[in-house]
Amino acid sequence: MNEVQLSKRLEKVVTYISPGSRIADIGSDHAYLPCYAVNNGLASYAIAGEVVKGPYESARQQVAKTALTAKIDVRFGDGLAVIDHTDKIDTIVIAGMGGALIRSILENGASKLLTAKELVLQPNVAAWQIRDWAEKNHWEIVSEAILREDNKIYEVLHLKRAAEQVSYNESEKLFGPCLLQEKNTVFREKWLHEKENWQKIGTAIRKSAVLSEANKKRLKELENNIQLAEEVLK
């Protein structure tokens, strides 16, 4: 992977960036995504944000190597702290992290979202965390994708600011309101595997000598998720 050829996962991410956007790529690593976005007209300006020194230096070197320093600003900082309101960022990209961490970044940087109109988020796990956050913060999930790469399954969510609060039911939060409409092969593979995993965990909990209150609660959650999965996989 490089600034010319992205991974399959990031290729899907950039399809949701509107041409000419001013983007902030949070956790940019080598800054391949912003370099690709600028070179292909998807971004007129980009911030590559990194909180780890090694990737930050790699991003700086990559942007300099591709002669894009006039259009891509590499910044060192935690989450959305790298964004200033004067940057007029309209699209924020966060890819390759857990859903809970992405949610935390969005919550901690709430004031930095004021100019943003679109979010492109790619959680490695727990995408439901983002859907739950979206519901509570007036963001609408307008498109989703699910894909397999290197034997791993990824979900990509495209959100736009909503005029009023959007409501998602339990199944939509867990499986994705858009993904539920298609239920493609990768979707079915993912949730069949998850259902089988939940069943194994439930069996192990029931075999424990003492069923604590925490385990009882966990067992109830597992049983509920299994039921939801069975319904969507019919």
Side-chain angles (χ1 to χ4, degrees):
M1 182 173 72
N2 52 44
E3 76 280 4
V4 176
Q5 181 65 55
L6 297 177
S7 65
K8 184 179 178 181
R9 169 180 64 93
L10 292 184
E11 278 183 347
K12 176 54 70 173
V13 168
V14 298
T15 64
Y16 293 128
I17 299 175
S18 301
S21 296
R22 294 178 66 85
I23 73 170
D25 181 31
I26 306 302
S28 195
D29 202 6
H30 290 80
Y32 291 148
L33 187 147
C35 288
Y36 180 96
V38 168
N39 279 332
N40 288 275
L42 297 172
S44 58
Y45 170 78
I47 293 171
E50 255 303 335
V51 71
V52 180
K53 275 292 184 182
Y56 166 73
E57 292 297 338
S58 295
R60 286 185 61 196
Q61 293 168 17
Q62 173 66 25
V63 172
K65 184 185 78 172
T66 51
L68 292 173
T69 53
K71 291 187 175 182
I72 301 177
D73 196 356
V74 181
R75 298 180 185 174
F76 184 76
D78 190 4
L80 303 187
V82 298
I83 301 173
D84 187 86
H85 72 279
T86 58
D87 297 317
K88 297 181 181 179
I89 295 300
D90 54 47
T91 303
I92 294 173
V93 178
I94 310 178
M97 305 179 196
L101 178 54
I102 293 176
R103 179 176 189 159
S104 176
I105 288 171
L106 295 171
E107 289 175 341
N108 293 337
S111 64
K112 303 299 180 76
L113 292 173
L114 297 178
T115 62
K117 298 176 182 177
E118 300 185 50
L119 305 175
V120 185
L121 310 172
Q122 183 268 296
N124 289 343
V125 294
W128 71 266
Q129 290 271 10
I130 293 169
R131 298 183 185 111
D132 187 63
W133 172 87
E135 181 183 64
K136 292 177 170 61
N137 291 274
H138 297 248
W139 287 87
E140 181 182 4
I141 300 165
V142 294
S143 188
E144 296 175 297
I146 186 167
L147 57 103
R148 177 185 293 279
E149 182 177 40
D150 297 333
N151 210 34
K152 292 181 181 179
I153 293 177
Y154 299 101
E155 294 178 47
V156 183
L157 290 73
H158 180 204
L159 294 79
K160 291 187 178 181
R161 190 178 295 279
E164 55 187 38
Q165 186 170 359
V166 181
S167 179
Y168 298 110
N169 63 37
E170 196 174 14
S171 285
E172 288 172 331
K173 284 184 185 178
L174 183 59
F175 305 108
C178 302
L179 297 178
L180 276 171
Q181 301 302 312
E182 185 179 359
K183 295 183 186 178
N184 67 18
T185 302
V186 179
F187 175 93
R188 300 185 71 85
E189 286 177 3
K190 172 184 171 69
W191 293 110
L192 180 60
H193 175 77
E194 290 290 346
K195 181 175 78 88
E196 292 171 348
N197 190 46
W198 291 332
Q199 288 170 330
K200 290 176 183 177
I201 295 171
T203 299
I205 290 175
R206 291 187 190 92
K207 288 181 178 179
S208 60
V210 180
L211 198 59
S212 66
E213 287 302 315
N215 277 345
K216 287 179 183 178
K217 181 180 178 181
R218 176 62 173 147
L219 196 57
K220 188 176 181 179
E221 291 173 350
L222 289 167
E223 290 170 347
N224 183 61
N225 286 352
I226 290 167
Q227 183 179 349
L228 291 172
E230 287 175 343
E231 289 174 0
V232 303
L233 291 170
K234 284 179 182 177

